[in-house]
Amino acid sequence: MTTTITSDTRELGRIIANGGIVVFPTETVFGIGAASTNFPACKRIYTIKNRPMDNPLIAHFFSIDQIREYCYLDEISQECLLTFSPGPLTLVLRKRNESLFSLDLDTIAVRIPGHREARDLIRQSGVPISAPSANPSGKPSFTRASDVHSFYDGIVDGILLGNAPEIGIESTVIDMTTNTKVILRPGKITETDLRSKFPNVNFQLVNVSNGSLIPESPEMTNKPNAINEIRSPGMKYRHYSPIAKVVILNQIDFQKTFNSFLSQSSTNKDSLPILQRTAFIGSGFSPREGLDICFSTNEEYMQNLYSFFIDADRNHIQICYCQSPLEDKYKDSILNRLHKAASKS
């Protein structure tokens, strides 16, 4: 297959409209998309990614008005979109009809990307674009164009050239279909952000360690289907996981582990190969030359986490030591990805 690699959103929009598959950057990570109204094209994404067929896709829209054509928007949902979109926010809404691919669910996850070229691609396509993250199923998401090109050239119909993702992790997902608004996947828009903007709305966060729901309200406890039904990506299957073993350490243990490896390598030549098969990502340490990454903020952590995992696998690293995120509003979002990466299930 010949892959059209271009910055021309009009050309790639025609490819989408004609049933093709296009990989494109967003402000979060790269996505692999097809026309939401073309069910065979959407199913082709599952084949390319080896994605389980009960794992929903997120439909990307150009505007709130376009969302309203396909979904029911109550006042709170509309206010959330007006406040945080375009941007890294996904809402699970009730569908108006069956015209969009949604695995026969009565709901669909929707968002308006904050990436200018991605929105223009949707506009040029003339239809919403259903797109999961552009990576093999279960593996770390792509945040660099070089990784996208090396993996997808010759596999998909088109690749959009544009600004690289700035955030580095996937969008926040909120189920808006019940009175309790459930944050199914934390992201750059945090529970703190949501509560500060909408203090009278009951938001409930998933368990960041495994993505499961924590039923705190009678409404959720008495509706097991609301807890168990997969309405969003990232809730059931292994995600973000490199081949390397992922070990999560608090800041003190992270520093002790790093210093211990350095000490062993300086006194025992036999330990050097072990050190070379490890990689570290954390704060407040002096990285070795190579793959180690030192971040100063959680935003830098998000920007570098997936590329760190990808480079680790590319260099046959066996253990990735990951420091727990710093104490700020982004901690839960990063922990969600780290625990998913470490779980291997």
Side-chain angles (χ1 to χ4, degrees):
M1 173 184 289
T2 299
T3 299
T4 300
I5 302 176
T6 179
S7 60
D8 187 344
T9 55
R10 181 177 299 180
E11 182 176 1
L12 295 178
R14 284 195 296 267
I15 289 175
I16 291 281
N18 291 326
I21 308 294
V22 171
V23 175
F24 59 96
T26 75
E27 76 278 22
T28 56
V29 298
F30 279 87
I32 174 172
S36 301
T37 54
N38 188 320
F39 289 24
C42 289
K43 290 178 180 178
R44 186 177 157 210
I45 292 174
Y46 286 82
T47 301
I48 292 172
K49 281 176 55 77
N50 193 29
R51 182 181 179 89
M53 276 301 301
D54 61 348
N55 199 2
L57 306 181
I58 293 174
H60 294 64
F61 292 76
F62 175 73
S63 67
I64 295 177
D65 286 341
Q66 189 183 36
I67 291 176
R68 193 177 287 109
E69 291 178 28
Y70 296 95
C71 304
Y72 293 105
L73 267 181
D74 60 19
E75 183 178 353
I76 296 174
S77 299
Q78 179 168 295
E79 287 301 313
C80 280
L81 290 172
L82 288 171
T83 303
F84 295 110
S85 293
L89 176 71
T90 295
L91 301 183
V92 177
L93 303 174
R94 298 285 180 190
K95 300 183 301 181
R96 287 189 177 275
N97 52 56
E98 298 301 316
S99 61
L100 300 185
F101 180 83
S102 63
L103 298 178
D104 296 324
L105 296 170
D106 63 352
T107 60
I108 189 167
V110 306
R111 90 177 186 98
I112 305 169
H115 192 282
R116 181 182 59 81
E117 292 105 327
R119 278 200 317 282
D120 198 50
L121 176 65
I122 300 166
R123 185 175 63 83
Q124 295 289 353
S125 301
V127 291
I129 296 177
S130 291
S133 55
N135 51 281
S137 184
K139 295 301 180 183
S141 299
F142 290 147
T143 58
R144 300 179 298 200
S146 58
D147 296 326
V148 166
H149 294 173
S150 63
F151 188 84
Y152 280 109
D153 190 5
I155 294 178
V156 297
D157 300 288
I159 297 175
L160 175 62
L161 299 175
N163 292 323
E166 296 179 351
I167 295 173
I169 65 170
E170 299 79 4
S171 61
T172 301
V173 181
I174 311 172
D175 187 347
M176 303 297 289
T177 62
T178 59
N179 291 332
T180 299
K181 310 308 178 187
V182 183
I183 305 171
L184 301 176
R185 183 177 68 190
K188 182 68 181 291
I189 295 171
T190 67
E191 183 181 14
T192 300
D193 296 327
L194 293 163
R195 291 187 185 279
S196 66
K197 294 292 185 180
F198 304 101
N200 297 322
V201 177
N202 184 15
F203 289 101
Q204 176 186 330
L205 181 63
V206 294
N207 186 328
V208 297
S209 67
N210 59 22
S212 65
L213 298 184
I214 309 172
E216 297 174 344
S217 67
E219 176 192 16
M220 298 305 294
T221 304
N222 296 330
K223 292 184 178 180
N225 288 339
I227 297 173
N228 296 324
E229 189 176 65
I230 304 175
R231 294 185 172 184
S232 163
M235 292 182 63
K236 179 179 179 181
Y237 296 99
R238 183 186 71 173
H239 282 75
Y240 329 122
S241 185
I243 298 171
K245 180 180 179 181
V246 174
V247 177
I248 307 167
L249 300 171
N250 63 44
Q251 188 168 10
I252 293 175
D253 289 340
F254 177 89
Q255 190 69 58
K256 285 181 178 178
T257 302
F258 182 75
N259 290 339
S260 175
F261 272 117
L262 288 183
S263 176
Q264 291 178 43
S265 66
S266 63
T267 59
N268 184 355
K269 292 183 178 180
D270 292 337
S271 67
L272 186 58
I274 298 175
L275 183 63
Q276 292 173 335
R277 293 195 295 270
T278 63
F280 293 78
I281 182 168
S283 64
F285 78 112
S286 298
R288 302 163 295 169
E289 290 186 8
L291 303 181
D292 294 347
I293 293 177
C294 179
F295 60 82
S296 58
T297 67
N298 278 341
E299 289 178 286
E300 289 182 4
Y301 203 167
M302 289 189 285
Q303 290 165 358
N304 288 284
L305 179 61
Y306 290 151
S307 57
F308 169 74
F309 285 155
I310 291 170
D311 288 342
D313 282 350
R314 188 171 289 147
N315 288 273
H316 308 293
I317 295 297
Q318 293 183 352
I319 303 177
C320 291
Y321 289 99
C322 302
Q323 180 188 304
S324 291
L326 305 175
E327 292 289 340
D328 69 8
K329 66 179 184 177
Y330 301 122
K331 178 180 178 180
D332 286 341
S333 301
I334 299 171
L335 278 177
N336 173 267
R337 273 55 172 193
L338 289 175
H339 284 299
K340 282 283 190 178
S343 70
K344 303 299 183 184
S345 62

